[in-house]
Amino acid sequence: MEKLVSLAKRRGFVFQSSEIYGGLGSVWDYGPLGVELKKNIKERWWRSMVHEREDIEGLDAAILMHPKVWEASGHVAGFTDPLVDCKHCKNRFRADDPRIKGTPGQPDAQCPACGTKGTLTAPRQFNLMFKTFMGPVEEQAAVIYMRPETAQGIYVNYLNVLQSSRQKIPFGIAQIGKAFRNEITPGNFIFRTREFEQMEMQFFVKPGSEGEWFEFWRAERLKWLQGLGIRAEKMRWHQHEPGELAHYAKDAYDIEYEFPFGWHEFEGIHNRTDFDLKNHQQASGKKLDYLDAATNERFIPYVVETSAGADRTALVVLCDAYREENVEGEGEGGGEQRVVLKLKPSLAPLKAAVFPLVNKDGMPEVARRIYDDLRRRYNVFYDDGGSIGRRYRRQDEAGTPFGITIDGQTTQDQTVTVRDRDTLKQVRVASSGLVEYLKEQLAT
Ligand code: ATP
């Protein structure tokens, strides 16, 4: 994992937040390549969820919401983690922190930070929502929350979307946006952060049909993830035990990935029943039921939710793509070890890099022309620094699928070499056909 974190920094994927001040705990910034990778993942999700489906609408609700939303949703009372404190060193831990030896609250428990025995308190519930104040006065009545999930923005807009889009049940609402949780055992890079992005879709169905839709969405989501190029054997399902279920859920499956630090969830499919809409109807006094015109029945829809973290999905994609390999006979650098991100080309931040073999004999001019032409369509990179082997290695680490080299032959017959990141094979392509060539390669 340290290797991936250091590559992420070196190549400009992810930096620690406020690094020059020593960093801010579990908050990360996306650099030039990271922002592209995450954007590609989000766009792919949006395309498959919203554009390719007639029965799902998009939404972008505000982060700040009426505080009553979080009371009705159960988050004020129930969005908690059990935590224990060390009375000696004042550190705080999740009660299920595997580093804790013994039973917190008992004399045998040992603090994982200072090692003292018997100083850990019994677990206490700690709310994960960030609070702030709205308006000029910092008082209890002005408290509002930074949303801990995007889903509630969908529920409170459910009627607005239904009426304005003229959808009929079953239909869904999808949203991508920031969420905030005051996580106490953060860590593992961008796996668990205090500010993150969710890609959530709430699918509203007739009560009684939620089981079928639950299975439908489980299959769809797995298919989508496989489409990102994630190795199938690195993913598995985990069904929540009754004691594990979130306060709103009746059934839940996580999709887990085998990270370098073990199997962990990165997406969840949840049967949230009518829990949220019923509570909002009761708390707001606004009717949220649905009239089925065909049968004249009124009901509060059930909800099947697919909830993914954009950052965690990006981490999965990065972990899955990271390889260390020996390269045999590739000009300079042959026989060396290389680090390569085998990202699916359509997800890669940079689609191609353009290299003049040497900085003379008209090559830079031709290379610049090709670069200018390509970058009107794709995010591409120009590099004329260092040996060609070194330039390849840098792009391997960035996950750039194609290296386009302009050499002596180019000036004679207008062809260039295109080197494939994964196979290292080189083919000659007419420079006028490069856009078409890339288009084909990036189609999936
Ligand atoms: P965990 O058990 O890891 O805390 P959760 O079960 O609380 O996660 P959900 O509330 O189901 O997670 O959130 C859905 C998705 O949002 C998760 O699968 C994950 O991808 C993402 N997510 C949740 N919390 C975080 C976080 N602190 N940092 C990054 N991503 C997160």
Side-chain angles (χ1 to χ4, degrees):
M1 198 61 196
E2 293 85 60
K3 286 185 183 167
L4 185 69
V5 176
S6 109
L7 177 141
K9 181 175 175 187
R10 188 165 71 241
R11 288 285 157 244
F13 281 93
V14 180
F15 309 124
Q16 204 182 1
S17 160
S18 324
E19 194 184 340
I20 59 168
Y21 288 100
L24 180 66
S26 281
V27 185
W28 297 86
D29 298 339
Y30 287 80
L33 296 192
V35 65
E36 295 290 333
L37 174 66
K38 195 156 83 145
K39 192 160 66 71
N40 291 342
I41 292 171
K42 289 187 290 183
E43 280 178 2
R44 206 175 162 95
W45 186 89
W46 193 261
R47 192 165 5 107
S48 83
M49 282 298 200
V50 183
H51 293 177
E52 289 177 6
R53 293 194 65 97
E54 283 180 74
D55 55 359
I56 299 186
E57 303 288 339
L59 179 74
D60 184 15
I63 288 168
L64 303 177
M65 301 180 75
H66 198 292
K68 286 213 172 115
V69 167
W70 304 109
E71 284 169 27
S73 70
H75 282 80
V76 170
F79 194 57
T80 53
D81 264 355
L83 300 180
V84 302
D85 291 300
C86 173
K87 287 188 267 190
H88 180 67
C89 70
K90 312 286 184 226
N91 269 302
R92 196 167 245 190
F93 312 92
R94 265 163 81 132
D96 62 0
D97 191 321
R99 296 170 305 162
I100 297 177
K101 296 193 182 69
T103 316
Q106 301 297 317
D108 67 322
Q110 192 176 336
C111 171
C114 68
T116 318
K117 261 195 173 171
T119 53
L120 290 183
T121 63
R124 286 184 294 210
Q125 294 299 327
F126 176 85
N127 199 294
L128 296 176
M129 283 195 292
F130 278 99
K131 275 186 199 173
T132 186
F133 299 98
M134 191 150 116
V137 191
E138 294 193 4
E139 59 181 17
Q140 188 54 33
V143 164
I144 53 165
Y145 301 95
M146 313 275 278
R147 70 178 174 203
E149 61 171 25
T150 59
Q152 298 303 325
I154 293 180
Y155 298 135
V156 300
N157 276 299
Y158 145 78
L159 266 191
N160 287 334
V161 175
L162 182 70
Q163 288 162 358
S164 57
S165 66
R166 307 183 62 234
Q167 286 280 0
K168 290 192 176 56
I169 271 176
F171 86 106
I173 305 177
Q175 169 162 232
I176 298 178
K178 291 261 185 177
F180 303 82
R181 296 182 187 178
N182 195 5
E183 301 275 8
I184 293 305
T185 339
N188 285 330
F189 195 33
I190 52 171
F191 175 79
R192 190 184 299 287
T193 53
R194 294 189 165 114
E195 172 176 344
F196 55 98
E197 258 180 304
Q198 289 188 313
M199 308 185 288
E200 293 197 306
M201 192 281 295
Q202 315 294 317
F203 205 71
F204 300 89
V205 306
K206 190 171 178 177
S209 67
E210 69 277 8
E212 223 174 284
W213 282 109
F214 191 77
E215 289 311 313
F216 173 82
W217 282 111
R218 265 192 346 124
E220 282 294 298
R221 292 308 303 148
L222 191 63
K223 229 188 316 170
W224 186 81
L225 290 167
Q226 284 167 347
L228 297 185
I230 302 165
R231 287 168 289 183
E233 68 275 18
K234 290 280 199 174
M235 291 192 282
R236 72 176 187 196
W237 288 106
H238 165 75
Q239 185 177 17
H240 283 209
E241 307 280 339
E244 242 181 296
L245 287 170
H247 62 270
Y248 50 73
K250 194 167 137 211
D251 196 7
Y253 274 84
D254 293 340
I255 304 173
E256 296 186 332
Y257 179 78
E258 192 178 17
F259 291 97
F261 45 90
W263 287 95
H264 292 281
E265 161 190 355
F266 69 110
E267 171 155 353
I269 321 296
H270 310 129
N271 171 3
R272 293 180 75 136
T273 69
D274 55 0
F275 179 90
D276 299 273
L277 287 183
K278 209 157 75 185
N279 285 346
H280 286 309
Q281 171 168 291
Q282 202 177 7
S284 67
K286 175 107 182 150
K287 276 215 147 314
L288 296 177
D289 58 1
Y290 177 83
L291 174 66
D292 189 334
T295 60
N296 237 4
E297 269 178 283
R298 277 191 180 277
F299 55 82
I300 293 194
Y302 266 44
V303 170
V304 175
E305 166 188 70
T306 71
S307 175
D311 313 80
R312 229 180 253 186
T313 307
L315 181 61
V316 167
V317 165
L318 283 172
C319 288
D320 207 65
Y322 182 93
R323 309 288 156 80
E324 289 172 7
E325 291 178 348
N326 284 318
V327 201
E328 294 305 332
E330 197 193 32
E332 277 180 74
E336 273 179 9
Q337 257 233 331
R338 72 162 180 167
V339 170
V340 53
L341 289 183
K342 293 196 167 175
L343 296 169
K344 180 162 185 148
S346 52
L347 291 185
L350 292 162
K351 304 307 182 202
V354 179
F355 313 120
L357 184 62
V358 290
N359 280 314
K360 54 181 186 189
D361 302 335
M363 292 182 212
E365 291 75 13
V366 179
R368 272 269 157 203
R369 230 178 297 132
I370 290 175
Y371 167 68
D372 285 338
D373 188 32
L374 289 179
R375 76 193 164 121
R376 282 189 282 135
R377 299 271 205 122
Y378 300 112
N379 195 28
V380 291
F381 189 76
Y382 185 85
D383 190 1
D384 60 4
S387 72
I388 194 74
R390 287 259 289 284
R391 285 182 264 171
Y392 283 156
R393 293 299 159 268
R394 284 199 287 264
Q395 293 308 317
D396 285 346
E397 286 199 337
T400 310
F402 303 106
I404 298 169
T405 305
I406 287 77
D407 55 18
Q409 198 179 321
T410 311
T411 45
Q412 290 162 20
D413 68 2
Q414 284 75 51
T415 63
V416 295
T417 65
V418 179
R419 175 240 194 207
D420 182 290
R421 174 198 67 199
D422 299 341
T423 62
L424 305 177
K425 291 231 167 68
Q426 302 200 7
V427 288
R428 284 207 85 88
V429 176
S431 55
S432 58
L434 273 173
V435 168
E436 202 51 37
Y437 181 84
L438 288 184
K439 193 170 144 200
E440 253 169 52
Q441 306 291 324
L442 298 168
T444 60

